[in-house]
Amino acid sequence: ARNALLLPWDRFSAWLHCICVVGFDLELGQAVEVRHTGLRSPKTSICYLSFPDSNSGCLGDTQFCFRFRQGSNRKSSLGCFLETTDRDAPACLKREQGHYYGYVYFRQVRDKSLKRGYFQKSLVLISKLPYVNFFHSLLKIMAPEYFEKQEPCLEAACNDIDRWLTPHPGRILTLPIMGVVIKCVLFQSDSLVSIVLPTIHEVDLFRCFYPVFFHIQMLWELVLLGEALVVMAPSPAESSDTVLALVNCISPLRYCSDFRPYFTIHDSEFKEYTTRTQAPPSVILGVTNPFFAKTLQHWPHIIRIGDMKQAGEMAKQMKVKKLKNLKTLDSKPGVYTAYKPYLNKDEDIIKQLQKGVQQKRPSAAQNAILRRYFLELTQSFIIPLERYVASLMPLQKSISPWKSPPQLRPFIQQDFMKTLEKAGPQLTSRLKGDWIGLYRHFLKSPNFDGWFRNRRREMTQKLEALHLEALCEEDLQQRIQKHTEVETVDLVLKLKDKLVSTDSSETQALQQCCKYNC
């Protein structure tokens, strides 16, 4: 019903901010040649981010993604509709608030008819949705068609997208685009469906972590704690995939710091992120330009990966190197850090993955093993926090329709730490180590701050809903008979305030029950 109320291009805007084509001009350099719908974002950044660095030498077709800050505080015309969608979505599927994603399909082929000798062009989808797998799959359909038939087919694609149902958690999405149909669920195909996507947002963790899989547990800790990390890779595809895998490895916990899957010297935050006058910020950067090996050598944690096609050879060489060895950074793959993990190394998962490589276990199976490992590790860590925060909720019997909703009790670190003795991660995880130290560090991190803010907001909304329910269930006529006129007026004022503060659906429910009970 809601979709029927949407205006032209509202459905398109629910999926994409804009589509643009970035080409290379001999005089101007990278430039936006075509764009569909408004592009008020920093165009210069988009132009540079849409092309691999000059040193990357990507021939053929390459796909990667980038992320950049929203230029101005623009509100969507879809307003509360998208807020409702986001409210129902798990953390990993919520749309970005202050950033955009850019999903790129770059083509570079030799062309003697051009002065430069190469055809170089990128088709870029700009969106607030973190649906990495979905948009890369969409580009595989759109880009080859565009490079062959040019702009008219982009207009057709935009019209197709504007007929799509708006994205909503749990919805089976059957999406026609340029003569094919994408279905975005793990679901048996039918005759009308051309492509079935088992997931719209997840990256292949095993493929991305393969060059560093001896250190996956340490990297999980670094991401969990919001440490400053830089990934140096030979191409934007490898840098963006690795950064996204890092952010993804603490799922279902949301990574609350900044991350840039592909970062260049032209980014507006370049000076902010490379300054030596202060400690590096809590951010994960993916870079390809060798210039960064010198510019970011003061960063505390650096991952240098080689070509993922040679991953089998690289994995044997990937040893943790101390920061004093950074002079070799521009030549040897490795993890450069002085960080000492809080938890003992889990040798079982390493052996399991190594055995899979030896037995040529399918990549999808290896990915599932690694994803389950990270999920169980994160859940073991977060369950004690969830349990303690739930205890901060006031008892339901303390909620009275005649009083304001009770407040949540404060989070007290010492009290939480005491709960870990009997109800800590040891109940669900076999890993030993300094769990207490890990929690102390985590409680100071942006990830804890973001997680707790979200949980506190959800619990406050729950208290408001329970208070509203108590008001609805109260027999007002009987209550008024037992109270003075002053108390009755006070109640009416409280009800008026409640009507003003609740959203439209709750207001209707409150008005109906007030009529019924009055």
Side-chain angles (χ1 to χ4, degrees), residues 17 48 91 512:
H17 174 58
Y48 283 108
Q512 286 175 358

Side-chain angles (χ1 to χ4, degrees), residues 131 139 190 274 386 405 483:
Y131 299 173
L139 277 168
D190 54 56
T274 56
E386 290 279 7
H483 286 73

Side-chain angles (χ1 to χ4, degrees), residues 201-396:
H201 68 284
E202 293 172 343
V203 293
D204 186 334
L205 287 180
F206 178 72
R207 184 181 63 82
C208 297
F209 278 122
Y210 189 66
V212 290
F213 78 69
F214 288 118
H215 314 300
I216 52 174
Q217 192 178 313
M218 180 183 70
L219 295 175
W220 174 85
E221 283 191 25
L222 292 174
V223 176
L224 180 77
L225 299 174
E227 289 286 307
L229 261 169
V230 61
V231 175
M232 297 185 177
S235 75
E238 287 157 334
S239 85
S240 64
D241 282 355
T242 305
V243 170
L244 291 169
L246 286 165
V247 170
N248 208 242
C249 78
I250 61 169
S251 183
L253 191 65
R254 184 169 192 170
Y255 182 76
C256 296
S257 294
D258 196 4
F259 61 96
R260 303 301 174 91
Y262 175 48
F263 188 76
T264 75
I265 59 175
H266 302 285
D267 270 86
S268 54
E269 287 80 46
F270 174 75
K271 287 184 179 179
E272 177 186 338
Y273 287 164
T274 56
T275 179
R276 289 171 179 263
T277 58
Q278 58 192 38
S282 176
V283 62
I284 303 177
L285 297 183
V287 302
T288 62
N289 194 322
F291 175 76
F292 284 106
K294 183 177 180 181
T295 311
L296 299 177
Q297 63 179 321
H298 63 292
W299 275 44
H301 319 290
I302 299 171
I303 304 168
R304 174 82 187 195
I305 59 173
D307 190 338
M308 284 186 181
K309 292 173 185 175
Q310 302 168 7
E313 299 167 23
M314 295 298 178
K316 297 173 186 176
Q317 302 174 30
M318 294 296 282
K319 294 180 179 178
V320 176
K321 301 176 178 68
K322 292 183 179 177
L323 291 171
K324 64 181 181 181
N325 295 328
L326 273 176
K327 289 180 181 176
T328 63
L329 184 62
D330 58 347
S331 58
K332 292 184 180 179
V335 178
Y336 296 77
T337 180
Y339 177 80
K340 184 180 179 182
Y342 287 96
L343 304 181
N344 299 339
K345 194 169 185 178
D346 188 343
E347 298 289 350
D348 289 347
I349 184 65
I350 303 300
K351 289 176 183 176
Q352 192 177 4
L353 291 171
Q354 280 184 307
K355 187 178 179 180
V357 172
Q358 292 164 0
Q359 296 179 345
K360 297 183 178 179
R361 186 185 294 145
S363 180
Q366 294 278 77
N367 182 47
I369 290 168
L370 188 53
R371 187 169 294 282
R372 186 174 67 244
Y373 170 75
F374 280 134
L375 178 64
E376 290 174 354
L377 188 55
T378 304
Q379 285 179 330
S380 292
F381 181 81
I382 210 73
I383 284 170
L385 279 160
E386 290 279 7
R387 190 183 292 118
Y388 173 73
V389 168
S391 74
L392 304 179
M393 188 84 162
L395 296 174
Q396 191 161 350

Side-chain angles (χ1 to χ4, degrees), residues 151-182:
E151 197 173 341
C153 74
L154 279 191
E155 293 176 6
C158 289
N159 286 318
D160 283 343
I161 294 169
D162 194 46
R163 288 193 288 268
W164 290 358
L165 288 176
T166 50
H168 194 85
R171 178 177 284 163
I172 295 172
L173 297 167
T174 304
L175 310 170
I177 181 79
M178 301 175 84
V180 300
V181 178
I182 303 173

Side-chain angles (χ1 to χ4, degrees), residues 12 16 18-21 36 63 105 107 123-125 134-150 153-161 164 177-178 180 182 195:
F12 179 93
L16 292 170
C18 67
I19 299 175
C20 51
V21 176
H36 287 269
Q63 285 190 259
Y105 192 108
R107 175 168 287 185
L123 181 61
V124 188
L125 308 179
F134 171 77
F135 284 116
H136 280 331
S137 299
L138 182 60
L139 277 168
K140 283 178 183 174
I141 300 167
M142 291 176 61
E145 283 284 306
Y146 167 72
F147 290 132
E148 183 182 340
K149 299 175 183 175
Q150 300 302 307
C153 74
L154 279 191
E155 293 176 6
C158 289
N159 286 318
D160 283 343
I161 294 169
W164 290 358
I177 181 79
M178 301 175 84
V180 300
I182 303 173
I195 299 167

Side-chain angles (χ1 to χ4, degrees), residues 7-208:
L7 299 172
W9 299 112
D10 272 352
R11 290 182 180 84
F12 179 93
S13 298
W15 287 92
L16 292 170
H17 174 58
C18 67
I19 299 175
C20 51
V21 176
V22 181
F24 190 89
D25 185 281
L26 274 176
E27 295 179 1
L28 300 174
Q30 288 94 321
V32 175
E33 296 178 351
V34 180
R35 58 180 169 267
H36 287 269
T37 76
L39 181 60
R40 298 182 185 179
S41 313
K43 297 177 191 174
T44 305
S45 292
I46 289 176
C47 287
Y48 283 108
L49 287 165
S50 300
F51 268 44
D53 277 342
S54 56
N55 295 294
S56 299
C58 298
L59 271 175
D61 292 357
T62 303
Q63 285 190 259
F64 58 95
C65 86
F66 58 85
R67 187 171 175 267
F68 61 97
R69 283 183 189 165
Q70 184 173 333
S72 58
N73 191 22
R74 295 175 66 240
K75 289 191 176 180
S76 169
S77 60
L78 295 166
C80 62
F81 176 76
L82 294 181
E83 287 176 16
T84 304
T85 299
D86 259 9
R87 186 183 63 199
D88 298 336
C92 57
L93 294 180
K94 290 184 188 296
R95 68 186 60 242
E96 289 282 346
Q97 296 302 315
H99 292 81
Y100 286 107
Y101 282 90
Y103 300 98
V104 183
Y105 192 108
F106 170 72
R107 175 168 287 185
Q108 177 172 271
V109 291
R110 297 184 190 278
D111 189 336
K112 292 181 181 178
S113 67
L114 299 173
K115 285 184 181 180
R116 189 174 171 82
Y118 289 92
F119 171 89
Q120 295 173 306
K121 199 164 283 191
S122 288
L123 181 61
V124 188
L125 308 179
I126 306 293
S127 176
K128 283 192 166 269
L129 296 170
Y131 299 173
V132 180
N133 194 29
F134 171 77
F135 284 116
H136 280 331
S137 299
L138 182 60
L139 277 168
K140 283 178 183 174
I141 300 167
M142 291 176 61
E145 283 284 306
Y146 167 72
F147 290 132
E148 183 182 340
K149 299 175 183 175
Q150 300 302 307
E151 197 173 341
C153 74
L154 279 191
E155 293 176 6
C158 289
N159 286 318
D160 283 343
I161 294 169
D162 194 46
R163 288 193 288 268
W164 290 358
L165 288 176
T166 50
H168 194 85
R171 178 177 284 163
I172 295 172
L173 297 167
T174 304
L175 310 170
I177 181 79
M178 301 175 84
V180 300
V181 178
I182 303 173
K183 183 168 276 188
C184 302
V185 282
L186 186 55
F187 185 69
Q188 283 192 342
S189 180
D190 54 56
S191 59
L192 298 176
V193 175
S194 313
I195 299 167
V196 180
L197 295 183
T199 172
I200 59 174
H201 68 284
E202 293 172 343
V203 293
D204 186 334
L205 287 180
F206 178 72
R207 184 181 63 82
C208 297

